[in-house]
Amino acid sequence: SGNYHIASTFDGITLDTDVEIGATNGISYDANTGEYFLIGGGTRTNKTFYTSYDLVNWTSSVSNYFVSYSSPHSPLNALGAYFVTFDGTNYRSTDLINWTPVQTSVSSLKAFNGTNMVTISLGVMYYSNDGITFTESNISGTFTNLFAVGTTFVAFDDGNMYVSFDDGVTWETRPLPEPTGLPFFTRM
């Protein structure tokens, strides 16, 4: 984790706001609302969440729901709510103050394509159109990444790529490109 400085300009005066963001916390963007969501720092008893529509002006909300020295991570704003992962459970909030568990044993891998949210629980992929009720998809595995690329979901496990063109309901295996020529990354 570390401190990142988000510079904001207000009436010609630049404000340098110190926002502590954990390295794994990330940032989420909801294309339906145009809102960004990230998890800031906090104390053992209070965690700070930030939202912005322009990445310049930020609104903070402080919640005392997560009493721990560790912090929630993997933010996602989707379906009219905010989601975070904390101690192996996804939580949902509509006001960033009050949180309710969504589903236990859920991975921090989750994505939103503008219609459905997809998440993983114990290696099984689930989808939801409300962020509360989740339905099992036709795929399972040891997933390492999950993304929404436009309306398409893409997931990876050890050496495989899977895609869903129907909001996470069904998945197809797709071949990964074969590396050719020089390696992508070279140590100097």
Side-chain angles (χ1 to χ4, degrees):
S1 78
N3 290 335
Y4 295 84
H5 296 277
I6 299 173
S8 303
T9 304
F10 179 72
D11 291 338
I13 301 170
T14 299
L15 305 173
D16 193 18
T17 309
D18 190 21
V19 178
E20 183 181 332
I21 305 169
T24 60
N25 290 355
I27 187 168
S28 173
Y29 176 74
D30 183 346
N32 290 340
T33 64
E35 183 181 51
Y36 295 88
F37 167 50
L38 63 84
I39 302 167
T43 65
R44 182 180 171 283
T45 57
N46 292 308
K47 305 300 183 226
T48 305
F49 302 94
Y50 295 91
T51 57
S52 174
Y53 289 97
D54 60 8
L55 293 174
V56 175
N57 301 295
W58 293 89
T59 301
S60 65
S61 299
V62 178
S63 174
N64 63 359
Y65 184 85
F66 303 101
V67 178
S68 173
Y69 286 108
S70 61
S71 184
H73 57 90
S74 305
L76 178 69
N77 52 334
L79 303 169
Y82 304 94
F83 299 86
V84 298
T85 303
F86 181 73
D87 285 344
T89 302
N90 274 346
Y91 289 84
R92 179 182 188 275
S93 175
T94 56
D95 62 7
L96 295 174
I97 306 295
N98 302 295
W99 295 86
T100 55
V102 174
Q103 183 176 356
T104 58
S105 302
V106 172
S107 161
S108 59
L109 297 176
K110 51 188 174 286
F112 178 61
N113 72 348
T115 302
N116 275 1
M117 176 180 172
V118 170
T119 189
I120 301 165
S121 177
L122 302 173
V124 178
M125 195 80 69
Y126 291 87
Y127 63 94
S128 173
N129 64 3
D130 62 7
I132 298 170
T133 303
F134 289 82
T135 304
E136 187 173 331
S137 294
N138 69 326
I139 188 172
S140 61
T142 308
F143 300 101
T144 55
N145 287 299
L146 172 64
F147 303 97
V149 182
T151 59
T152 303
F153 286 110
V154 180
F156 296 91
D157 69 8
D158 295 326
N160 298 302
M161 178 173 67
Y162 305 91
V163 295
S164 173
F165 298 107
D166 60 359
D167 297 325
V169 177
T170 60
W171 294 79
E172 305 170 11
T173 305
R174 295 291 169 104
L176 287 170
E178 292 290 327
T180 58
L182 295 174
F184 292 111
F185 300 100
T186 328
R187 185 173 286 189
M188 300 283 205

